[in-house]
Coordinates of all heavy atoms in Angstrom, one line a residue:
M963 N 6.4 -5.3 -25.7 CA 4.9 -5.1 -25.9 C 4.1 -5.5 -24.7 O 4.4 -6.6 -24.2 CB 4.5 -5.9 -27.2 CG 3.1 -5.8 -27.6 SD 2.8 -4.1 -28.3 CE 3.5 -4.3 -30.0
A964 N 3.2 -4.7 -24.3 CA 2.4 -5.1 -23.1 C 0.9 -5.1 -23.6 O 0.5 -4.3 -24.4 CB 2.5 -4.0 -22.1
K965 N 0.2 -6.1 -23.0 CA -1.2 -6.2 -23.3 C -1.9 -5.7 -22.0 O -1.7 -6.2 -20.9 CB -1.6 -7.7 -23.5 CG -2.9 -7.9 -24.1 CD -3.2 -9.4 -24.4 CE -2.6 -9.8 -25.7 NZ -3.1 -11.2 -26.1
I966 N -2.8 -4.7 -22.2 CA -3.4 -4.0 -21.1 C -5.0 -4.1 -21.3 O -5.4 -3.8 -22.4 CB -3.1 -2.5 -21.1 CG1 -1.6 -2.4 -21.3 CG2 -3.6 -1.8 -19.9 CD1 -0.7 -1.9 -20.2
T967 N -5.7 -4.5 -20.3 CA -7.1 -4.6 -20.4 C -7.8 -3.4 -19.6 O -7.5 -3.2 -18.5 CB -7.6 -5.9 -19.8 OG1 -7.0 -7.0 -20.5 CG2 -9.1 -6.0 -19.9
F968 N -8.6 -2.7 -20.3 CA -9.5 -1.7 -19.7 C -10.9 -2.2 -19.6 O -11.4 -2.7 -20.6 CB -9.5 -0.4 -20.6 CG -8.2 0.4 -20.6 CD1 -7.2 0.0 -21.5 CD2 -8.0 1.5 -19.8 CE1 -6.0 0.7 -21.6 CE2 -6.8 2.2 -19.8 CZ -5.8 1.8 -20.7
I969 N -11.5 -2.1 -18.4 CA -12.9 -2.5 -18.3 C -13.7 -1.2 -18.0 O -13.4 -0.5 -17.1 CB -13.1 -3.5 -17.1 CG1 -12.1 -4.7 -17.3 CG2 -14.5 -3.9 -17.0 CD1 -12.1 -5.7 -16.1
T970 N -14.7 -1.0 -18.9 CA -15.4 0.3 -18.8 C -16.5 0.1 -17.7 O -16.8 -0.9 -17.2 CB -16.1 0.7 -20.1 OG1 -17.1 -0.3 -20.4 CG2 -15.1 0.7 -21.2
R971 N -17.2 1.3 -17.4 CA -18.3 1.3 -16.5 C -19.4 0.4 -16.9 O -20.2 -0.1 -16.1 CB -18.8 2.7 -16.3 CG -17.8 3.6 -15.7 CD -18.2 5.1 -15.9 NE -17.1 5.9 -15.7 CZ -16.9 7.1 -16.3 NH1 -17.8 7.6 -17.1 NH2 -15.9 7.8 -16.0
N972 N -19.5 0.1 -18.2 CA -20.6 -0.7 -18.8 C -20.1 -2.2 -18.9 O -20.7 -3.0 -19.6 CB -21.1 -0.2 -20.1 CG -21.7 1.1 -20.0 OD1 -22.4 1.4 -19.0 ND2 -21.6 1.9 -21.0
D973 N -18.9 -2.5 -18.3 CA -18.4 -3.8 -18.4 C -17.9 -4.2 -19.7 O -17.8 -5.4 -20.0 CB -19.3 -4.8 -17.8 CG -18.6 -5.7 -16.8 OD1 -17.6 -5.3 -16.2 OD2 -19.1 -6.9 -16.7
E974 N -17.6 -3.3 -20.6 CA -16.9 -3.6 -21.9 C -15.5 -3.8 -21.6 O -14.9 -3.0 -20.8 CB -17.1 -2.5 -22.9 CG -18.5 -2.3 -23.4 CD -18.5 -1.0 -24.3 OE1 -18.4 0.1 -23.7 OE2 -18.6 -1.2 -25.5
H975 N -14.9 -4.8 -22.3 CA -13.5 -5.1 -22.1 C -12.7 -4.6 -23.4 O -13.1 -5.0 -24.5 CB -13.2 -6.5 -21.9 CG -13.6 -7.0 -20.5 ND1 -14.9 -6.8 -20.0 CD2 -12.9 -7.7 -19.6 CE1 -14.9 -7.3 -18.8 NE2 -13.8 -7.9 -18.5
Y976 N -11.7 -3.8 -23.2 CA -10.8 -3.4 -24.3 C -9.5 -4.0 -24.0 O -8.8 -3.7 -23.0 CB -10.6 -1.9 -24.4 CG -11.9 -1.1 -24.8 CD1 -12.9 -0.9 -24.0 CD2 -11.9 -0.6 -26.1 CE1 -14.0 -0.2 -24.4 CE2 -13.0 0.1 -26.6 CZ -14.1 0.3 -25.7 OH -15.2 1.1 -26.1
I977 N -9.0 -4.9 -24.8 CA -7.7 -5.5 -24.6 C -6.8 -4.9 -25.7 O -6.9 -5.1 -26.9 CB -7.8 -7.1 -24.8 CG1 -8.8 -7.6 -23.7 CG2 -6.4 -7.7 -24.6 CD1 -9.2 -9.0 -23.9
L978 N -5.8 -4.1 -25.2 CA -5.0 -3.3 -26.1 C -3.6 -3.6 -25.9 O -3.1 -4.0 -24.9 CB -5.3 -1.8 -25.8 CG -6.8 -1.3 -25.8 CD1 -6.9 0.1 -25.3 CD2 -7.3 -1.5 -27.2
E979 N -2.8 -3.4 -27.0 CA -1.4 -3.6 -27.0 C -0.6 -2.4 -27.3 O -1.0 -1.6 -28.1 CB -1.0 -4.7 -28.0 CG -1.5 -6.1 -27.6 CD -1.0 -7.2 -28.5 OE1 -0.7 -6.9 -29.7 OE2 -0.8 -8.3 -28.0
A980 N 0.5 -2.2 -26.6 CA 1.3 -1.0 -26.8 C 2.7 -1.3 -26.3 O 2.9 -2.2 -25.5 CB 0.8 0.2 -26.1
D981 N 3.7 -0.5 -26.8 CA 5.0 -0.6 -26.2 C 5.6 0.7 -25.7 O 6.7 0.8 -25.3 CB 6.0 -1.4 -27.1 CG 6.0 -0.8 -28.5 OD1 5.5 0.4 -28.7 OD2 6.5 -1.5 -29.4
S982 N 4.8 1.8 -25.9 CA 5.2 3.1 -25.4 C 4.0 4.0 -25.2 O 2.9 3.6 -25.5 CB 6.2 3.7 -26.4 OG 5.5 4.0 -27.6
G983 N 4.3 5.2 -24.6 CA 3.2 6.1 -24.3 C 2.6 5.9 -23.0 O 3.0 5.0 -22.2
S984 N 1.5 6.6 -22.7 CA 0.9 6.4 -21.4 C -0.4 5.6 -21.6 O -0.9 5.4 -22.7 CB 0.5 7.8 -20.8 OG -0.6 8.3 -21.5
L985 N -0.9 5.1 -20.5 CA -2.1 4.3 -20.5 C -3.3 5.2 -21.0 O -4.2 4.7 -21.7 CB -2.5 3.8 -19.1 CG -2.2 2.3 -18.9 CD1 -0.8 2.0 -19.0 CD2 -2.7 1.9 -17.6
M986 N -3.3 6.5 -20.6 CA -4.3 7.4 -21.1 C -4.3 7.5 -22.6 O -5.3 7.4 -23.2 CB -4.1 8.8 -20.4 CG -5.2 9.8 -20.8 SD -4.8 10.7 -22.4 CE -3.6 11.8 -21.9
E987 N -3.1 7.7 -23.2 CA -3.0 7.9 -24.6 C -3.5 6.6 -25.3 O -4.3 6.7 -26.3 CB -1.6 8.1 -25.0 CG -1.1 9.5 -24.6 CD 0.4 9.7 -24.7 OE1 1.2 8.7 -24.6 OE2 0.9 10.8 -24.8
L988 N -3.2 5.5 -24.8 CA -3.6 4.2 -25.3 C -5.1 4.1 -25.3 O -5.8 3.7 -26.3 CB -3.0 3.0 -24.5 CG -3.3 1.6 -25.0 CD1 -2.7 1.3 -26.4 CD2 -2.7 0.6 -24.0
A989 N -5.7 4.5 -24.2 CA -7.2 4.4 -24.0 C -7.9 5.4 -25.0 O -8.8 5.0 -25.7 CB -7.6 4.7 -22.6
V990 N -7.4 6.6 -25.0 CA -8.0 7.6 -25.9 C -7.9 7.2 -27.4 O -8.9 7.3 -28.1 CB -7.4 9.0 -25.6 CG1 -7.9 10.0 -26.7 CG2 -7.8 9.5 -24.2
Q991 N -6.7 6.8 -27.8 CA -6.5 6.4 -29.2 C -7.5 5.2 -29.6 O -7.8 5.1 -30.8 CB -5.1 5.9 -29.4 CG -4.1 7.1 -29.5 CD -2.7 6.7 -29.2 OE1 -2.3 5.5 -29.2 NE2 -1.8 7.6 -29.1
N992 N -7.9 4.4 -28.6 CA -8.7 3.3 -28.9 C -10.2 3.5 -28.5 O -10.9 2.5 -28.5 CB -8.1 2.0 -28.3 CG -6.8 1.6 -29.0 OD1 -6.9 1.0 -30.1 ND2 -5.7 2.0 -28.5
G993 N -10.5 4.7 -28.1 CA -11.9 5.0 -27.8 C -12.5 4.3 -26.6 O -13.7 4.0 -26.6
V994 N -11.6 4.1 -25.6 CA -12.2 3.5 -24.3 C -13.1 4.5 -23.7 O -12.7 5.6 -23.3 CB -11.0 3.1 -23.4 CG1 -11.6 2.6 -22.1 CG2 -10.1 2.1 -24.0
D995 N -14.4 4.0 -23.5 CA -15.4 4.9 -23.0 C -15.1 5.3 -21.5 O -14.8 4.4 -20.7 CB -16.7 4.1 -23.0 CG -17.9 5.0 -22.7 OD1 -17.9 6.2 -23.1 OD2 -18.9 4.5 -22.1
G996 N -15.1 6.6 -21.2 CA -14.9 7.0 -19.9 C -13.5 7.5 -19.6 O -13.3 8.1 -18.5
I997 N -12.6 7.3 -20.5 CA -11.3 7.9 -20.4 C -11.2 9.1 -21.4 O -11.1 8.8 -22.6 CB -10.1 6.9 -20.7 CG1 -10.2 5.7 -19.7 CG2 -8.8 7.6 -20.6 CD1 -9.8 6.0 -18.3
D998 N -11.2 10.3 -20.9 CA -11.2 11.5 -21.8 C -9.9 12.1 -22.0 O -9.6 12.6 -23.1 CB -12.2 12.5 -21.3 CG -13.6 11.9 -21.3 OD1 -13.9 11.0 -22.1 OD2 -14.4 12.3 -20.4
G999 N -9.1 12.2 -21.0 CA -7.7 12.8 -21.1 C -7.8 14.2 -21.4 O -7.0 14.7 -22.3
D1000 N -8.7 15.0 -20.8 CA -9.0 16.4 -21.2 C -7.8 17.3 -21.1 O -7.6 18.2 -21.9 CB -10.1 16.9 -20.3 CG -11.5 16.4 -20.7 OD1 -11.6 15.8 -21.8 OD2 -12.4 16.6 -20.0
C1001 N -6.9 17.0 -20.1 CA -5.7 18.0 -19.9 C -4.5 17.5 -20.8 O -3.5 18.2 -20.7 CB -5.4 18.1 -18.5 SG -4.5 16.6 -17.8
G1002 N -4.7 16.5 -21.5 CA -3.6 16.0 -22.4 C -2.5 15.3 -21.7 O -1.4 15.0 -22.2
G1003 N -2.7 14.9 -20.4 CA -1.8 14.1 -19.7 C -0.9 14.9 -18.7 O 0.2 14.3 -18.3
V1004 N -1.3 16.1 -18.3 CA -0.4 16.8 -17.4 C -1.0 16.8 -16.0 O -0.6 17.6 -15.1 CB -0.2 18.3 -17.9 CG1 0.5 18.3 -19.2 CG2 -1.6 19.0 -18.0
C1005 N -1.8 15.8 -15.7 CA -2.2 15.5 -14.3 C -3.0 16.7 -13.7 O -2.9 17.0 -12.5 CB -1.0 15.3 -13.4 SG -1.3 14.3 -11.9
S1006 N -3.9 17.3 -14.5 CA -4.7 18.4 -13.9 C -6.2 18.3 -14.2 O -6.9 19.2 -14.0 CB -4.2 19.7 -14.5 OG -4.4 19.8 -15.9
C1007 N -6.7 17.1 -14.7 CA -8.1 17.0 -14.9 C -8.8 15.8 -14.3 O -10.0 15.9 -14.0 CB -8.4 17.0 -16.4 SG -7.9 15.5 -17.2
A1008 N -8.1 14.8 -14.1 CA -8.6 13.5 -13.5 C -9.7 12.8 -14.4 O -10.5 12.0 -13.9 CB -9.2 13.7 -12.1
T1009 N -9.7 13.2 -15.7 CA -10.7 12.5 -16.6 C -10.0 11.2 -17.1 O -10.5 10.6 -18.1 CB -11.1 13.3 -17.7 OG1 -10.0 13.7 -18.5 CG2 -11.8 14.6 -17.3
C1010 N -9.0 10.7 -16.4 CA -8.3 9.5 -16.8 C -8.2 8.6 -15.6 O -7.3 7.7 -15.6 CB -6.9 9.8 -17.4 SG -5.8 10.5 -16.2
H1011 N -9.1 8.7 -14.7 CA -9.1 8.0 -13.4 C -9.5 6.5 -13.6 O -10.5 6.2 -14.2 CB -10.1 8.7 -12.5 CG -10.2 8.1 -11.1 ND1 -11.1 8.6 -10.2 CD2 -9.5 7.1 -10.5 CE1 -10.9 7.9 -9.0 NE2 -10.0 7.0 -9.2
V1012 N -8.6 5.6 -13.1 CA -8.8 4.2 -13.2 C -8.6 3.6 -11.9 O -7.9 4.2 -11.0 CB -8.0 3.5 -14.3 CG1 -8.3 4.0 -15.7 CG2 -6.5 3.6 -14.0
H1013 N -9.2 2.4 -11.7 CA -8.8 1.6 -10.5 C -8.0 0.4 -11.0 O -8.4 -0.3 -11.9 CB -10.1 1.1 -9.8 CG -11.0 2.2 -9.3 ND1 -10.6 3.0 -8.2 CD2 -12.2 2.6 -9.7 CE1 -11.5 3.9 -8.0 NE2 -12.5 3.7 -8.9
V1014 N -6.8 0.3 -10.4 CA -5.9 -0.8 -10.8 C -6.3 -2.1 -10.0 O -6.5 -2.0 -8.8 CB -4.5 -0.4 -10.5 CG1 -3.5 -1.5 -10.8 CG2 -4.1 0.9 -11.3
N1015 N -6.3 -3.2 -10.7 CA -6.5 -4.5 -10.0 C -5.5 -4.6 -8.8 O -4.3 -4.4 -9.0 CB -6.3 -5.7 -11.0 CG -7.7 -6.2 -11.4 OD1 -8.7 -5.6 -11.3 ND2 -7.6 -7.4 -11.9
T1016 N -6.0 -5.1 -7.7 CA -5.2 -5.1 -6.5 C -3.9 -5.8 -6.7 O -2.8 -5.4 -6.3 CB -6.0 -5.9 -5.4 OG1 -7.3 -5.3 -5.3 CG2 -5.3 -5.7 -4.0
E1017 N -3.9 -7.0 -7.5 CA -2.7 -7.7 -7.6 C -1.6 -7.0 -8.5 O -0.5 -7.4 -8.6 CB -2.9 -9.2 -8.1 CG -3.5 -9.2 -9.6 CD -5.0 -9.4 -9.6 OE1 -5.7 -8.9 -8.7 OE2 -5.4 -10.1 -10.5
H1018 N -2.1 -6.0 -9.2 CA -1.2 -5.3 -10.1 C -0.7 -4.0 -9.5 O 0.1 -3.3 -10.1 CB -1.8 -5.0 -11.5 CG -2.2 -6.2 -12.2 ND1 -3.4 -6.3 -12.8 CD2 -1.6 -7.3 -12.4 CE1 -3.5 -7.5 -13.4 NE2 -2.4 -8.2 -13.1
M1019 N -1.1 -3.6 -8.3 CA -0.7 -2.3 -7.7 C 0.8 -2.2 -7.6 O 1.3 -1.1 -7.9 CB -1.3 -2.2 -6.3 CG -2.8 -1.9 -6.3 SD -3.3 -0.4 -7.2 CE -2.7 0.9 -6.1
E1020 N 1.5 -3.2 -7.2 CA 2.9 -3.1 -7.1 C 3.7 -2.8 -8.4 O 4.5 -2.0 -8.5 CB 3.5 -4.4 -6.4 CG 4.8 -4.2 -5.7 CD 5.1 -5.4 -4.9 OE1 4.3 -5.8 -4.1 OE2 6.3 -5.9 -5.1
K1021 N 3.2 -3.5 -9.4 CA 3.8 -3.3 -10.8 C 3.7 -1.9 -11.2 O 4.5 -1.3 -11.8 CB 3.0 -4.2 -11.8 CG 3.5 -5.5 -12.1 CD 2.8 -6.0 -13.4 CE 2.7 -7.4 -13.5 NZ 2.0 -7.9 -14.7
V1022 N 2.5 -1.3 -10.9 CA 2.2 0.0 -11.4 C 2.9 1.1 -10.6 O 3.3 2.1 -11.1 CB 0.6 0.2 -11.4 CG1 0.3 1.7 -11.6 CG2 0.0 -0.6 -12.4
G1023 N 3.1 0.8 -9.3 CA 3.8 1.8 -8.5 C 2.8 2.8 -7.9 O 1.6 2.8 -8.2
A1024 N 3.4 3.6 -7.0 CA 2.6 4.6 -6.3 C 2.4 5.9 -7.0 O 3.2 6.2 -7.9 CB 3.2 4.9 -4.9
A1025 N 1.3 6.5 -6.7 CA 1.0 7.8 -7.4 C 1.9 8.9 -6.8 O 2.3 8.8 -5.6 CB -0.4 8.2 -7.1
S1026 N 2.3 9.9 -7.6 CA 3.1 11.0 -7.1 C 2.3 11.9 -6.2 O 1.1 11.7 -6.2 CB 3.6 11.8 -8.3 OG 2.5 12.5 -8.9
E1027 N 2.9 12.8 -5.6 CA 2.2 13.7 -4.7 C 1.2 14.6 -5.4 O 0.0 14.7 -5.0 CB 3.2 14.6 -4.0 CG 2.8 15.1 -2.6 CD 3.9 15.8 -1.9 OE1 5.0 15.2 -1.8 OE2 3.7 16.9 -1.5
I1028 N 1.6 15.0 -6.6 CA 0.6 15.9 -7.4 C -0.6 15.0 -7.8 O -1.7 15.5 -7.7 CB 1.3 16.4 -8.7 CG1 2.4 17.4 -8.3 CG2 0.3 17.1 -9.6 CD1 3.3 17.8 -9.4
E1029 N -0.3 13.8 -8.2 CA -1.4 12.9 -8.6 C -2.3 12.6 -7.4 O -3.5 12.6 -7.5 CB -0.8 11.6 -9.2 CG -1.9 10.7 -9.7 CD -1.3 9.4 -10.3 OE1 -0.1 9.3 -10.6 OE2 -2.0 8.4 -10.4
Q1030 N -1.7 12.4 -6.3 CA -2.5 12.1 -5.1 C -3.4 13.3 -4.7 O -4.6 13.1 -4.3 CB -1.6 11.8 -3.9 CG -1.0 10.4 -4.0 CD 0.0 10.1 -2.9 OE1 0.0 10.8 -1.9 NE2 0.7 9.0 -3.0
D1031 N -2.8 14.5 -4.9 CA -3.6 15.7 -4.6 C -4.8 15.8 -5.5 O -5.9 16.1 -5.1 CB -2.8 17.0 -4.8 CG -1.8 17.1 -3.7 OD1 -1.9 16.4 -2.7 OD2 -0.8 18.0 -3.9
M1032 N -4.7 15.4 -6.8 CA -5.8 15.4 -7.8 C -6.8 14.4 -7.4 O -8.0 14.6 -7.4 CB -5.3 15.1 -9.2 CG -4.6 16.2 -9.9 SD -5.7 17.7 -10.1 CE -7.0 17.0 -11.1
L1033 N -6.3 13.2 -7.0 CA -7.3 12.1 -6.6 C -8.1 12.4 -5.4 O -9.2 12.0 -5.2 CB -6.5 10.8 -6.4 CG -6.0 10.2 -7.7 CD1 -5.0 9.1 -7.5 CD2 -7.2 9.6 -8.5
E1034 N -7.5 13.2 -4.5 CA -8.2 13.5 -3.2 C -9.4 14.4 -3.5 O -10.4 14.4 -2.7 CB -7.3 14.3 -2.3 CG -6.4 13.4 -1.5 CD -5.4 14.2 -0.6 OE1 -5.6 15.4 -0.4 OE2 -4.4 13.5 -0.2
L1035 N -9.5 15.0 -4.7 CA -10.6 15.8 -5.0 C -11.8 15.0 -5.6 O -12.9 15.5 -5.8 CB -10.2 16.9 -6.1 CG -9.1 17.9 -5.6 CD1 -8.7 18.7 -6.8 CD2 -9.6 18.7 -4.5
D1036 N -11.5 13.7 -5.9 CA -12.4 12.8 -6.5 C -13.1 11.9 -5.5 O -12.4 11.1 -4.8 CB -11.7 12.0 -7.6 CG -12.7 11.3 -8.5 OD1 -13.8 10.8 -8.0 OD2 -12.4 11.2 -9.7
D1037 N -14.4 12.0 -5.4 CA -15.2 11.2 -4.4 C -15.0 9.7 -4.6 O -15.3 8.9 -3.7 CB -16.6 11.6 -4.4 CG -16.9 13.0 -3.8 OD1 -16.0 13.5 -3.1 OD2 -17.9 13.6 -4.1
N1038 N -14.7 9.3 -5.8 CA -14.7 7.9 -6.2 C -13.3 7.3 -6.0 O -13.1 6.2 -6.4 CB -15.2 7.7 -7.6 CG -16.6 8.1 -7.7 OD1 -17.5 7.7 -6.9 ND2 -17.0 8.8 -8.7
A1039 N -12.4 8.1 -5.5 CA -11.0 7.6 -5.3 C -10.9 6.5 -4.2 O -11.6 6.6 -3.2 CB -10.1 8.7 -5.0
T1040 N -10.1 5.5 -4.5 CA -9.9 4.4 -3.5 C -8.4 4.2 -3.5 O -7.6 4.8 -4.2 CB -10.6 3.1 -4.0 OG1 -9.9 2.6 -5.2 CG2 -12.1 3.3 -4.3
A1041 N -8.0 3.2 -2.7 CA -6.6 2.8 -2.6 C -6.1 2.3 -3.9 O -4.8 2.3 -4.1 CB -6.4 1.8 -1.5
Q1042 N -7.0 1.9 -4.8 CA -6.5 1.4 -6.1 C -6.5 2.4 -7.2 O -6.3 2.1 -8.4 CB -7.4 0.2 -6.6 CG -7.1 -1.1 -6.0 CD -7.5 -1.3 -4.6 OE1 -8.6 -0.9 -4.2 NE2 -6.6 -1.8 -3.8
S1043 N -6.8 3.7 -6.8 CA -7.0 4.7 -7.9 C -5.6 5.2 -8.4 O -4.6 5.3 -7.7 CB -7.6 5.9 -7.2 OG -9.0 5.7 -7.0
R1044 N -5.6 5.4 -9.7 CA -4.5 6.1 -10.4 C -5.1 6.9 -11.5 O -6.1 6.6 -12.1 CB -3.5 5.1 -11.0 CG -2.7 4.3 -10.0 CD -1.7 5.1 -9.2 NE -0.9 6.0 -10.0 CZ 0.3 5.7 -10.5 NH1 0.9 4.5 -10.3 NH2 1.0 6.6 -11.2
L1045 N -4.3 8.0 -11.9 CA -4.6 8.7 -13.1 C -3.8 8.1 -14.2 O -2.5 8.1 -14.1 CB -4.3 10.2 -12.9 CG -5.1 10.9 -11.8 CD1 -4.7 12.3 -11.6 CD2 -6.6 10.8 -12.1
C1046 N -4.4 7.5 -15.2 CA -3.6 6.6 -16.0 C -2.8 7.4 -17.0 O -1.9 6.8 -17.7 CB -4.5 5.6 -16.7 SG -5.7 6.2 -18.0
C1047 N -2.9 8.7 -17.1 CA -1.9 9.5 -17.9 C -0.5 9.5 -17.2 O 0.5 9.8 -17.8 CB -2.4 10.9 -18.1 SG -2.4 11.9 -16.6
Q1048 N -0.5 9.1 -15.9 CA 0.7 9.1 -15.2 C 1.4 7.7 -15.1 O 2.3 7.5 -14.4 CB 0.5 9.6 -13.7 CG -0.1 11.0 -13.7 CD 0.8 12.0 -14.4 OE1 2.0 12.2 -14.0 NE2 0.3 12.7 -15.4
I1049 N 0.8 6.8 -15.9 CA 1.3 5.4 -16.0 C 1.9 5.2 -17.4 O 1.1 5.2 -18.3 CB 0.3 4.4 -15.6 CG1 -0.3 4.6 -14.3 CG2 0.9 3.0 -15.7 CD1 -1.6 3.7 -13.9
D1050 N 3.2 5.0 -17.5 CA 3.8 4.7 -18.8 C 3.7 3.2 -19.1 O 4.0 2.4 -18.2 CB 5.3 5.2 -18.8 CG 5.3 6.7 -18.8 OD1 4.5 7.4 -19.4 OD2 6.3 7.2 -18.2
V1051 N 3.4 2.9 -20.3 CA 3.4 1.6 -20.8 C 4.8 1.0 -20.8 O 5.7 1.7 -21.2 CB 2.8 1.5 -22.2 CG1 2.9 0.0 -22.7 CG2 1.3 1.9 -22.2
S1052 N 5.0 -0.2 -20.3 CA 6.3 -0.9 -20.4 C 6.0 -2.4 -20.4 O 4.9 -2.8 -20.1 CB 7.2 -0.5 -19.2 OG 6.6 -1.1 -18.0
D1053 N 7.0 -3.1 -20.8 CA 6.8 -4.6 -20.8 C 6.4 -5.2 -19.5 O 5.6 -6.1 -19.4 CB 8.1 -5.3 -21.3 CG 8.4 -5.0 -22.8 OD1 7.5 -4.4 -23.4 OD2 9.5 -5.4 -23.2
E1054 N 6.8 -4.5 -18.4 CA 6.5 -5.0 -17.1 C 5.0 -5.0 -16.8 O 4.5 -5.7 -15.9 CB 7.2 -4.2 -16.0 CG 8.7 -4.5 -15.8 CD 9.5 -3.6 -16.8 OE1 9.5 -2.4 -16.7 OE2 10.0 -4.2 -17.8
L1055 N 4.3 -4.1 -17.5 CA 2.8 -4.0 -17.3 C 2.0 -5.0 -18.1 O 0.8 -4.9 -18.1 CB 2.4 -2.5 -17.6 CG 3.0 -1.4 -16.8 CD1 2.2 -0.1 -17.1 CD2 2.8 -1.8 -15.3
D1056 N 2.7 -5.9 -18.8 CA 1.9 -6.9 -19.6 C 1.0 -7.6 -18.7 O 1.3 -8.1 -17.6 CB 2.9 -7.9 -20.2 CG 2.2 -8.8 -21.2 OD1 1.3 -8.3 -21.9 OD2 2.6 -10.0 -21.2
G1057 N -0.3 -7.7 -19.1 CA -1.3 -8.4 -18.3 C -2.1 -7.5 -17.3 O -3.0 -7.9 -16.7
L1058 N -1.7 -6.2 -17.3 CA -2.4 -5.3 -16.4 C -3.9 -5.2 -16.7 O -4.3 -5.1 -17.9 CB -1.7 -3.9 -16.5 CG -2.3 -2.8 -15.7 CD1 -2.1 -3.0 -14.2 CD2 -1.7 -1.4 -16.1
V1059 N -4.7 -5.1 -15.7 CA -6.1 -4.9 -15.8 C -6.5 -3.6 -15.0 O -6.2 -3.5 -13.8 CB -6.9 -6.1 -15.3 CG1 -8.4 -5.8 -15.5 CG2 -6.5 -7.3 -16.1
V1060 N -7.2 -2.7 -15.7 CA -7.6 -1.5 -14.9 C -9.1 -1.3 -15.3 O -9.6 -1.6 -16.3 CB -6.8 -0.2 -15.3 CG1 -5.4 -0.3 -14.9 CG2 -7.0 0.2 -16.8
R1061 N -9.8 -0.7 -14.3 CA -11.3 -0.5 -14.4 C -11.5 1.0 -14.5 O -10.9 1.7 -13.7 CB -12.0 -1.0 -13.2 CG -13.3 -1.6 -13.4 CD -13.7 -2.4 -12.2 NE -13.9 -3.8 -12.5 CZ -14.9 -4.3 -13.1 NH1 -15.8 -3.6 -13.6 NH2 -14.9 -5.6 -13.4
V1062 N -12.2 1.5 -15.4 CA -12.5 2.9 -15.5 C -13.3 3.4 -14.4 O -14.3 2.7 -14.0 CB -13.2 3.3 -16.9 CG1 -13.6 4.7 -16.9 CG2 -12.4 2.8 -18.1
A1063 N -12.9 4.4 -13.7 CA -13.6 4.9 -12.4 C -14.9 5.6 -12.8 O -15.0 6.1 -13.9 CB -12.7 5.8 -11.7
R1064 N -15.8 5.6 -11.9 CA -17.1 6.4 -12.1 C -16.8 7.8 -11.9 O -16.0 8.3 -11.2 CB -18.1 5.9 -11.0 CG -18.5 4.5 -11.3 CD -19.8 4.1 -10.7 NE -20.1 2.7 -11.1 CZ -20.6 2.3 -12.3 NH1 -21.1 3.2 -13.1 NH2 -20.8 1.1 -12.6
Ligands
FES1338 S1 -5.4 13.2 -18.6 FE1 -5.7 14.9 -17.2 S2 -5.1 14.0 -15.3 FE2 -4.8 12.4 -16.7

């Protein structure tokens, strides 16, 4: 079981628990504002863009080439950007904090 914190653009904190699925699914199921998941998680919409806390970047791992291509189209992308449909929940992610991108 991993506890994951989403911080919305309005600074609302959602502290959610899961043991499977993607971060996007977890966010959508719990109504996290700003995470829409329009493409259903196939890495083609970028409506699940988050910024991962710097100290958690290693845990989360690098974006795939397809994901990087999608992020390059987003003006708000930074070195901490990930599409959270591409991050699977696992015990190792316990304590992860992500911020919903603008
Ligand atoms: S849900 Fe579409 S790219 Fe993540």
